Amino acid sequence: MATPALTPDILVRAYAAGIFPMAESAEDPNIFWVDPERRGIIPLDQFHVPRRLRRTVRSNAFTIRCDTAFEQVIRGCASPAADRQRTWINEEIIMLYHALFERGLAHSVEAWRDGELVGGLYGVSLNAVFFGESMFSFRRDASKVALVHLVARLIKGGYTLLDTQFVTDHLESFGAIEIPRADYRQRLNAALEQPASFQPLLAADPVDVVLQANTQTS
C-alpha cells in the first residue's frame, strides 16, 4: 500500500517501530512500507573481514570520510550499476533522508580516491541502532572498505544493533544473518533504550577494532 505524504518525523517513528520505506524504482514516486518476516542483521561481535579485504583496508587505498558528502552518497546508491540496472531510491527518499542527515539522524561513510568519491554507504541512526540503507561502489572494494569502517565506528560508539534489512550473498560474507521478526523487534526495542554515539573519526585501525570486539566476546 502506498503511503501518504511522508515527513522526517513519520520516518523516525517508522524505524523505531521496525518498518522502513521503499519505492518500486527510482522513477516511481510512490513509497510503501516494508516489514519483513525475517530481518537481516550483522551481529557486531561476529562481523567478519575476509583476509584479502583486511589487506585492502590496511593499504589505505581509500581515504575514508564521514558525513562530508551525504547527498552524493545517496545519489551514488541510486545510480544504476552493472549488477543493478534499477534501484529503489527515488527523489522523495533522497529528500527525506537528507532531512534526517541535517538532524544528525543519518550518516554516510565515504570512500575517496584522488579527490573523487568512489564508494560508500548511508543509513539511519537511532540510539544504539544503525539501520543500513544502501551502498555503492565505483571502484573495487570501495563499499566493502566503507562497511568495515562503519562497523568499527559503531563498535567504538556503543551501538548494539546493525540492521541490514535483508541478507545478500555480499552481506553474508561479512557475517549477516536472518532472524525472525519477533526476535528482531526484541533486539530493536532493547537497542532503542541504549545510548550510543556515531564516531566520525577513528584513531585505531578499523580491522583491529573489529578483531578486538570479537576477542572480547569470544
Side-chain angles (χ1 to χ4, degrees):
M1 178 184 296
T3 65
L6 285 180
T7 66
D9 289 334
I10 291 175
L11 198 54
V12 169
R13 291 198 296 270
Y15 273 103
I19 60 178
F20 56 89
M22 293 185 74
E24 288 292 346
S25 71
E27 295 75 30
D28 189 339
N30 296 311
I31 297 177
F32 57 90
W33 294 119
V34 182
D35 185 13
E37 290 187 9
R38 297 188 63 80
R39 191 72 162 238
I41 67 167
I42 296 180
L44 292 171
D45 60 353
Q46 299 174 31
F47 183 70
H48 172 69
V49 185
R51 184 174 299 173
R52 185 189 63 79
L53 184 61
R54 293 184 191 184
R55 292 196 297 267
T56 302
V57 173
R58 286 181 164 147
S59 73
N60 295 319
F62 304 100
T63 299
I64 301 299
R65 303 174 189 165
C66 294
D67 296 344
T68 68
F70 183 86
E71 185 170 341
Q72 283 179 261
V73 168
I74 193 170
R75 289 193 180 278
C77 293
S79 63
D83 60 343
R84 182 187 61 189
Q85 296 302 312
R86 301 180 67 190
T87 70
W88 55 271
I89 302 172
N90 62 19
E91 284 297 324
E92 183 173 3
I93 285 174
I94 293 173
M95 177 190 69
L96 284 166
Y97 285 86
H98 194 272
L100 292 186
F101 169 71
E102 291 182 330
R103 295 185 181 192
L105 298 177
H107 299 282
S108 61
V109 180
E110 310 142 13
W112 297 78
R113 178 177 287 176
D114 299 326
E116 178 185 2
L117 179 66
V118 294
L121 56 84
Y122 76 98
V124 174
S125 174
L126 297 179
N127 291 357
V129 190
F130 192 89
F131 306 86
E133 283 296 311
S134 188
M135 58 178 60
F136 79 100
S137 187
F138 294 153
R139 296 288 188 277
R140 182 182 181 183
D141 290 339
S143 63
K144 295 178 182 179
V145 172
L147 179 59
V148 174
H149 277 263
L150 169 69
V151 170
R153 283 161 169 76
L154 298 184
I155 291 171
K156 279 292 191 180
Y159 286 76
T160 61
L161 180 59
L162 172 53
D163 175 0
T164 66
Q165 300 176 349
F166 305 105
V167 173
T168 63
D169 291 343
H170 170 69
L171 292 174
E172 197 169 22
S173 69
F174 289 96
I177 61 173
E178 283 187 335
I179 60 175
R181 181 188 292 156
D183 187 1
Y184 171 76
R185 292 282 172 80
Q186 289 180 346
R187 297 186 190 213
L188 172 64
N189 291 335
L192 289 172
E193 295 296 322
Q194 300 296 320
S197 176
F198 188 81
Q199 302 290 302
L201 300 176
L202 190 68
D205 185 307
V207 174
D208 289 342
V209 172
V210 173
L211 294 179
Q212 183 180 23
N214 286 324
T215 300
Q216 289 173 346
T217 56
S218 61

